[in-house]
Each structure stands twice: as structure tokens, then as C-alpha cells.
């Protein structure tokens, strides 16, 4: 079960996370960049989605259409997760300082 990245409280997702949904444990917004599976600090707009728009406050609720709740849980496919880690490591090698 996914968890809140702020307090670790388990979040039961019945359908999808809506913009106004909050963590029952700490009250933090759930529809935020830091709770999204596409959140990748260091990438353009800190997002793995290349067409995403800039969201200034990554911890506040937003209207991003690409949002998918990750909530501290790894993706269901271990292979996809490993491929993403390898791609990130390779990009970091060639990133200009």
C-alpha cells in the first residue's frame, strides 16, 4: 500500500487522488509533485514528463494532468524501476555541472 512521503501513513487509494485530497495522518496535500511517480529532482521542472509545466511549490496541491500517486511506493514493475534508475545514472554521468 502506498504511503505519504511526509509521515509514512498508509494511503488507501480507491480510484485516484484528487487535487483536494489530504493525508489522513498529517494533513499534507496528496496531489503534489513530491507525491507523484514522475517527480525527478534535477530533471527539467523536476519531472520525468517532458511536457510538464513548471510547478513552483512541489509540496502544494496542483492541477498537473500527468500526476500519478506514487506515495513512497516503488513501481509495480521492478524491471521498469531498474531501467529508470540506470537511465538516471547514465544521464548524471553526462550532466554538465
Amino acid at each position: 500500500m502506498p504511503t505519504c512521503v511526509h509521515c509514512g501513513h498508509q494511503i488507501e487509494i480507491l480510484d485516484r487522488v484528487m487535487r483536494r485530497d489530504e493525508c489522513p495522518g498529517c494533513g499534507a496535500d496528496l496531489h503534489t509533485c513530491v507525491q507523484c511517480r514522475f517527480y525527478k529532482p534535477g530533471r527539467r521542472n523536476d519531472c520525468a514528463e517532458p511536457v510538464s509545466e513548471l510547478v513552483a511549490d512541489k509540496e502544494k496541491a496542483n492541477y498537473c494532468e500527468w500526476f500519478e500517486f506514487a506515495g513512497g511506493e516503488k513501481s509495480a514493475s521492478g524491471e521498469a524501476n531498474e531501467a529508470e534508475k540506470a537511465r538516471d545514472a547514465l544521464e548524471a554521468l553526462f550532466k554538465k555541472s
Side-chain angles (χ1 to χ4, degrees):
M1 184 175 285
T3 60
C4 173
V5 299
H6 298 288
C7 71
H9 186 87
Q10 290 188 341
I11 308 295
E12 182 178 355
I13 308 294
L14 299 177
D15 183 26
R16 63 182 186 171
V17 174
M18 303 303 286
R19 184 186 179 279
R20 294 182 183 220
D21 288 345
E22 296 179 345
C23 172
C26 67
D29 293 330
L30 293 178
H31 196 289
T32 66
C33 293
V34 297
Q35 301 271 23
C36 181
R37 80 175 190 93
F38 296 114
Y39 181 62
K40 301 287 184 229
R43 289 205 178 164
R44 181 179 173 272
N45 295 337
D46 293 328
C47 186
E49 283 296 331
V51 295
S52 67
E53 294 183 25
L54 176 64
V55 175
D57 191 339
K58 308 292 187 212
E59 295 191 17
K60 293 288 184 189
N62 60 58
Y63 291 101
C64 180
E65 295 178 17
W66 298 102
F67 178 83
E68 288 183 27
F69 189 72
E73 188 173 88
K74 305 247 187 258
S75 66
S77 169
E79 289 180 17
N81 196 27
E82 291 301 317
E84 190 172 288
K85 285 181 186 177
R87 186 172 33 257
D88 289 346
L90 183 62
E91 286 179 7
L93 286 174
F94 295 98
K95 187 175 181 180
K96 292 183 179 181
S97 299

